[in-house]
Amino acid sequence: MKRIFFGPKGNVDWHEFIWNPWGFFKYLLRWLLFIALLAALVWLISLFHEWQRRRDPILFPPHRDSLIMPDTTTRIVRNIPNPGRNLPAPPENVLPPIDDDDIVDDENGRRIVGNKLGVILDANPQEDTYRKWADAFKAAYPEEDYKVVYYNQFTNLLRIQVPTDERTRVLNELPRKIPDISFKVFPDAILEVAAVPSDPAFGANERYDWYLEPIQAYKAWDVTMGKEYVVVAIVDSSFDLYHDELNSDRIVLPYCVTRESGNVAPSSPRDVHGTMVASMAIGGVNNDRGLSGIAPNCKFMPISLGQEPFTTFSIISGALYAIYQGAD
């Protein structure tokens, strides 16, 4: 069977771009023009995306290239292998969440967790110290409503449960009930956090660096921008370690109080406070992004309080973790 091709000059036996050289170049030019237009369209879209990202860094977070991430998956809790009868067994030794029904106002009008108290053991306690304290606590308060619900050897902390209407009495008399072990007891108050507006560009301002002059940062930088052997710990809500200002090999020993692991990531895109504070304190320098932190050469220990509500117990846990892990 013979193929017949129809071209502008009538029936031909070959494709036009083969037997007519100018036809070949015509098709080639059409393809080149199409590719050029496509490339121009992609370029324009990328320019628009970059403009939007710079205009709204919340909806369009910074580029996340060459990520340097520490281990954030391992659970950071040192359980006692033989906790005894009055300490939580390893599977149950988790920081219990705050129940809204347990939040009450104390005699000073502060919002507190009514049925919980915190305990700090002094002077590097041994495993046996935790067991002895729990046994002494249970001997002093044998009722079922009194118990140790959590302990953490990284922070020397215990959390105890008591009846809400007995909280003040226990708070005042507990040191006398257990005189042989040095410790401090404290109420678990709720940290009130101001609401964050929902506007996507909240806080965006072209004059980002206004505060550097009043605090004399430029003069300070003539002396130092920090040293790599100095570890700055920041205890805040959470941290985006993928952020260009934070992502580096300067991150050491991240810790989340509620997750009990190195996962300090935000649980919501709106949770930007910790990332902002850390960027202002130790954010990267000479990285073509944003500004510079005040001490961009120091190491960074991010300590997340996890999800709200934040309490006295969680804040003290974060601060003690920083101290015991050697933050400066």
Side-chain angles (χ1 to χ4, degrees), residues 104-112 192:
V104 299
D105 292 335
D106 70 359
E107 56 275 8
N108 298 314
R110 297 179 305 171
R111 299 180 72 225
I112 62 170
E192 302 290 353

Side-chain angles (χ1 to χ4, degrees), residues 208-212 245 279 283-287 289-293:
Y208 293 110
D209 60 350
W210 68 269
Y211 61 92
L212 295 176
E245 297 294 350
S279 297
V285 65
N286 298 326
N287 60 357
R289 297 287 175 186
L291 287 174
S292 166

Side-chain angles (χ1 to χ4, degrees), residues 37-65:
L37 290 174
L38 183 61
L41 179 61
V42 172
W43 178 69
L44 288 173
I45 292 174
S46 66
L47 282 182
F48 176 75
H49 185 276
E50 180 68 13
W51 173 80
Q52 281 280 29
R53 188 192 66 79
R54 292 179 180 273
R55 179 173 176 268
D56 189 349
I58 297 176
L59 289 181
F60 296 87
H63 293 309
R64 301 184 171 189
D65 301 328

